[in-house]
Amino acid sequence: MSIAEAILEILKEEMQKHGAKRLRRVWVRAGKLSMVVPDSLRFCFEVLVEGTELRGAELLVEEIPLKGRCHDCGREFESHTYVFQCPQCYGVNYEITDGQGIYISEIEID
Ligand SMILES: [Zn+2]
């Protein structure tokens, strides 16, 4: 629930900044590592906006796979699980380059 609340706060600020009256849609990028469950995030969001000025807004969640770069051979790769290993040299010496955190990528307002 707290993630949905945080998103809502950002949205309210953005709306104010742009003098927007109505929020149509919001796209959120959720990294695999952020442990966000898209369906439950959408549900929380809908519950939170009900009865507010953001009522009726649609939340779309895009799941971002985990991406990393191998320190041993330099290969960049992605993983759809939480097990991370370089597919080229099978090294486990890597840095995560994407797929962490959650952020708003786009909003559609009136
Ligand atoms: Zn490697």
Side-chain angles (χ1 to χ4, degrees):
M1 193 53 107
S2 61
I3 293 173
E5 279 169 353
I7 289 172
L8 207 64
E9 282 310 306
I10 296 167
L11 287 173
K12 282 179 183 166
E13 273 174 36
E14 284 296 309
M15 301 268 300
Q16 246 168 24
K17 208 156 55 176
H18 297 284
K21 299 219 183 330
R22 198 168 98 88
L23 178 71
R24 286 181 178 278
R25 273 185 210 100
V26 53
W27 283 266
V28 163
R29 282 169 63 97
K32 196 86 184 160
L33 265 192
S34 66
M35 304 284 181
V36 165
V37 180
D39 281 342
S40 72
L41 181 61
R42 265 195 301 270
F43 175 76
C44 289
F45 183 80
E46 276 169 28
V47 169
L48 284 174
V49 298
E50 196 57 52
T52 75
E53 68 269 36
L54 301 183
R55 184 164 41 92
E58 193 183 351
L59 180 81
L60 297 113
V61 184
E62 186 191 353
E63 262 193 296
I64 308 303
L66 211 48
K67 285 184 186 158
R69 189 186 298 111
C70 177
H71 283 309
D72 296 327
C73 70
R75 167 108 178 221
E76 289 191 50
F77 54 98
E78 56 183 59
S79 173
H80 292 274
T81 68
Y82 301 106
V83 181
F84 232 43
Q85 193 175 35
C86 174
Q88 188 160 280
C89 71
Y90 304 107
V92 288
N93 189 15
Y94 55 81
E95 65 175 305
I96 290 168
T97 56
D98 200 5
Q100 302 179 93
I102 172 161
Y103 57 92
I104 295 166
S105 60
E106 209 181 319
I107 60 174
E108 199 180 305
I109 48 179
D110 277 345

